[in-house]
Amino acid sequence: MPTVDELISADLPRIRDIRHDLHAHPELGYQEFRTSGVVKRELTEAGIEHIGGLALGTGVLAYLPATVENAPTVALRADMDALPIKEKTGASYASTNDGVMHACGHDGHTSIMIGTARVLSKLPERPNNLLFIFQPAEEGGAGGRRMCEDGALAGTVLGKRADIIFGLHGYPGLLVGQVGTRTGSMMASADEFRITVTGRGGHAAMPHTGIDPIVVASQIVVALQTIASRGVNPLDSIVVTIGEFHAGSAHNVIPDTVELHGTLRTLLAETRTYGERRVTEIAMGIASALGATAEVQFLGGYPVTRNDAGAADRFRRVASEALPGGLAPDVAPVMGAEDFSFYGDHAPACFYWLGILPKGANSYPNLHAPEFDFNDDAIEVGMRAMAALALSKGTPA
């Protein structure tokens, strides 16, 4: 019987072709109907039991049972959605959907998961039950939360309840052949908020007759930066960014209102709570002091992506064995966010980086850049890591 590595090598050309096909046909969150169709086609051909239509219609859950009794269940997750960015890679398989592209590598993640499932289905023995989660809408749509709500980890839809879950993401900060993780907070929470400042408009030449909401909002924008510089321990991490400032319709008219749209990022749940409170207090306090009013709305977001200590230790042990020399030292946390965080509320979870920086290169297009393209050379590494995790046993007590 061929080894796992031999099965991966044999299937690798097909998986690369699938990756190129998915890249050429990107779909936004909750619109991944073609993508989930490719997933289901490949699972069907491999004889893997699966169910579609999850998470508002495009989520797919697949299951391979263990070949032993009373086996634990390992879940593996991939995301499928693309971004509203116009591609500039120049690749022969570049996006055919103008203004939409796989700028975050989810085409690579999905292909790796398809390949891993296909390889594991060919093994005569499996020590664990396996769940394969193909989720929609990671990019702001909280597809991971909807997959959890639909029972993807609970054993109520298909398969058994997950005892542990792993997920990966292509990362330009590590070389191809490397993987890396950390225990605890790995990626930040992300909360979207909107501040509406209401003053009293009028003629730009007579500002004393009104209350200029642009001046008030400008003071709020500046004061919000004191949350990080003066409100939080310098050894903690918090980001408060205003990305949109909408006001006015003419150069000589003071408007009635201003709308600010921003994001709050933290690595600790208690810092997240503090940040939300201070954004509200600062906005309303400054507006009141200057004769205006401010309404603050937090529009929801993603919690901190925290790696369970046991799951992270298991990942390190397995990666060291499966990828000799490929386990990077513990990585630093980043302030980007991931909806893999929702899975950690249902099972011990570990998220890890998969290196995509070519060997010998000093840089690589960053995630969410129009020049970004997932590195095909990382597919085999990702499949080897995921397959090893799927077949691994828990850390001895």
Side-chain angles (χ1 to χ4, degrees), residues 11 16 50 76 116 122 130 137 165 174 216 289 307 321 332 381:
D11 219 23
R16 285 176 176 157
H50 62 277
L76 306 175
T116 302
K122 298 172 184 176
L130 303 176
I165 182 168
L174 292 178
V216 176
N307 285 337
E321 296 170 356
V381 183

Side-chain angles (χ1 to χ4, degrees), residues 144-389:
R145 182 186 66 200
R146 293 188 184 278
M147 291 294 286
C148 292
E149 292 171 347
D150 283 355
L153 296 184
T156 55
V157 185
L158 181 66
K160 302 290 183 66
R161 176 180 289 275
D163 295 297
I164 195 167
I165 182 168
F166 298 95
L168 63 71
H169 202 297
Y171 188 52
L174 292 178
L175 291 169
V176 170
Q178 289 186 306
V179 292
T181 194
R182 64 179 287 108
T183 300
S185 299
M186 182 164 175
M187 298 186 73
S189 61
D191 291 291
E192 179 184 0
F193 64 87
R194 181 175 293 118
I195 301 172
T196 303
V197 179
T198 302
R200 186 169 66 248
H203 199 296
M206 294 175 279
H208 61 289
T209 64
I211 298 172
D212 191 339
I214 292 179
V215 173
V216 176
S218 298
Q219 297 286 340
I220 291 172
V221 171
V222 173
L224 288 176
Q225 303 314 305
T226 65
I227 297 174
S229 66
R230 290 298 181 268
V232 172
N233 189 320
L235 299 180
D236 194 359
S237 299
I238 186 169
V239 172
V240 184
T241 295
I242 300 297
E244 297 179 59
F245 191 124
H246 299 287
S249 58
H251 76 284
N252 59 349
V253 177
I254 296 173
D256 287 322
T257 62
V258 170
E259 186 170 285
L260 306 176
H261 200 187
T263 184
L264 170 69
R265 309 286 178 114
T266 72
L267 290 174
L268 297 175
E270 56 267 33
T271 308
R272 182 187 190 191
T273 300
Y274 171 80
E276 291 180 354
R277 175 170 63 83
R278 290 300 290 148
V279 167
T280 301
E281 291 173 345
I282 288 172
M284 295 180 68
I286 288 178
S288 177
L290 297 177
T293 61
E295 178 187 0
V296 182
Q297 295 175 291
F298 275 87
L299 307 175
Y302 294 175
V304 176
T305 301
R306 289 185 57 83
N307 285 337
D308 173 80
D313 286 345
R314 180 166 170 175
F315 168 80
R316 293 186 190 95
R317 173 173 55 82
V318 172
S320 296
E321 296 170 356
L323 304 169
L327 179 63
D330 279 8
V331 298
V334 300
M335 300 308 287
E338 243 286 348
D339 80 346
F340 184 79
S341 53
F342 291 107
Y343 297 103
D345 290 336
H346 299 267
C350 179
F351 196 64
Y352 65 95
W353 296 135
L354 173 69
I356 57 174
L357 178 67
K359 294 177 181 178
N362 295 319
S363 63
Y364 197 80
N366 204 358
L367 303 173
H368 291 209
E371 297 82 12
F372 179 84
D373 184 19
F374 189 88
N375 191 335
D376 282 338
D377 292 340
I379 293 176
E380 181 178 6
V381 183
M383 289 175 62
R384 288 173 61 192
M386 281 303 199
L389 290 167

